[in-house]
Amino acid sequence: MNKVITVPKNKDAEVRLNYNEALHFELIEINLTIEEFNYLWDKGIFHLINNICNSIIDDNEDESINDLNLIKKTHQELNNRYSECKNIIDMFQYALTYKTSIHFYF
């Protein structure tokens, strides 16, 4: 099963994403291999995100974070603790740049 992290590029795409109608070019996505997912899981990345955002990112779970304040706080903490995990940090930065959300389809 694919593990995808998605950030809509604008509010219209964010709404369409909720109805599974967003177009590919309206989204920034990273597809994690199982090895990448396990690496991030073992490092505690998702645990950190869950703690800050009161979310439930887990294997076989879909989750989204819509609060820009939580996205900003998570971005800062990831930068401080896991600066080597640039792809995840970048996704949080995209959500801040576009003022949208970040979605985890696991």
Side-chain angles (χ1 to χ4, degrees):
M1 178 176 217
N2 285 342
K3 311 279 188 207
V4 181
I5 302 173
T6 303
V7 173
K9 291 182 179 179
N10 57 55
K11 286 294 188 181
D12 290 336
E14 187 174 47
V15 170
R16 283 193 287 279
L17 182 61
N18 288 331
Y19 295 99
N20 202 26
E21 296 176 354
L23 303 173
H24 182 33
F25 66 85
E26 297 179 302
L27 307 171
I28 298 172
E29 295 186 320
I30 56 173
N31 292 291
L32 300 175
T33 66
I34 195 66
E35 292 82 12
E36 290 169 323
F37 175 82
N38 288 337
Y39 171 79
L40 296 170
W41 184 266
D42 292 342
K43 284 194 79 63
I45 298 286
F46 301 120
H47 181 72
L48 173 75
I49 297 168
N50 285 337
N51 281 342
I52 293 171
C53 299
N54 196 29
S55 54
I56 307 172
I57 300 168
D58 197 353
D59 200 15
N60 298 314
E61 291 282 341
D62 292 344
E63 183 68 84
S64 63
I65 303 167
N66 301 298
D67 184 321
L68 288 174
N69 291 321
L70 294 177
I71 291 171
K72 182 177 182 177
K73 184 175 180 182
T74 303
H75 178 262
Q76 291 169 338
E77 285 299 316
L78 289 171
N79 259 325
N80 290 339
R81 296 185 191 188
Y82 302 106
S83 61
E84 72 278 8
C85 297
K86 185 167 172 28
N87 61 343
I88 299 295
I89 293 168
D90 286 350
M91 295 301 282
F92 278 86
Q93 181 60 55
Y94 291 135
L96 291 170
T97 298
Y98 295 122
K99 294 180 174 56
T100 57
S101 53
I102 185 166
H103 304 257
F104 299 84
Y105 300 107
F106 293 170

